[in-house]
Amino acid sequence: MRALVIGEALIDIVERDGQVTEHVGGSPLNVAVGLARLGRDVDFLTRIGTDAYGRRVGEYVESSGVQLVPGSTQAVRTATARAALDAAGSATYSFDIDWALTGTPEVPPPLIVHTGSIAAVLEPGCLATKALVDTYHLSATVTFDPNVRPALITDADAARSRIDRLLERADVIKASSEDLHWIDPTRPPEQIAAAWLALGPSIVVVTFGGEGAVAMCAAGTVRVPAGNVEVVDTVGAGDAFMTGLIDALWSMDLLGAERRARLAAIGTDALTEAVRAATLTAALTVAKPGADLPHRVERDAAAASDILS
């Protein structure tokens, strides 16, 4: 079975200490590549051009084992995100992107559909993204990471409404504490997560950077500390966490619409195991520059050495 990831692909232009480097990026792209590096079969529906940046994106995802869905190369130009890193490695973004999708992907029925970030809120493509999620919800697990990019949002209320509509379809939600503060600055992140869980998803996870993560399911709430690694930068950290979480649930045979009841019945021990795998994946990513998510052999070796302890 395969995963279908829907969302933006772009070139991250990273500025730090007066130096500029370029990396292939985009939150959904990172998840697609991350899952492929962990040995999963992945189809990626995106919007890039046939320019030099677009060719670079295509070569990157295909070399990682990701199948680019036909119709993904229709943009006039490939999007870019300029990331300015501070001394702690945290990024502030500005974007040049146009997001649109047409038609239904020519892919086999997926086991899981993942989307989020720019694809969830930027018109006109966000409308097609939501329609595809509605379609695949009948047969696939839906995972969602709002990964809010305020620099691209001109109508906050409209963006929050679009996020709400995707929350209603999602089985697994991951959000950072920063996302939740933007979405609702009047409530603590854990209170928002609990409210989201009441909407129907099986799992809601909130990440707190170096302070770890809190995950909620019907059986209860678990807390997992962050990995004990030296942070180079945080680019791709949330995407790596999402990748590790999806992969762990996949290994537990909890994905696919026919397993929705089993996913909803996940216990706190299994949820802790899944969040630890997600945390480890993120820890390995922040220890390297750019969104360089780990391969399976690298992550298994790190798991054996127990770097989270």
Side-chain angles (χ1 to χ4, degrees), residues 22 35 42 125 152 171 204 212 224-225 235 250-251 307:
E22 295 181 350
L35 286 172
V42 184
L152 268 175
D171 299 293
V204 179
V224 173
V235 177
W250 203 328
S251 295
I307 69 169

Side-chain angles (χ1 to χ4, degrees), residues 215-229:
M216 302 178 181
C217 65
T221 298
V222 304
R223 299 173 187 273
V224 173
N228 184 24
V229 297

Side-chain angles (χ1 to χ4, degrees), residues 203 215 217 219 222 245 248-249 252 254 262-263 265-277:
I203 295 170
C217 65
V222 304
L245 181 63
L249 297 173
M252 294 174 184
L254 293 177
R262 290 175 57 188
L263 180 63
I266 190 172
T268 53
D269 288 347
L271 182 57
T272 300
E273 179 184 343
V275 176
R276 280 182 61 84

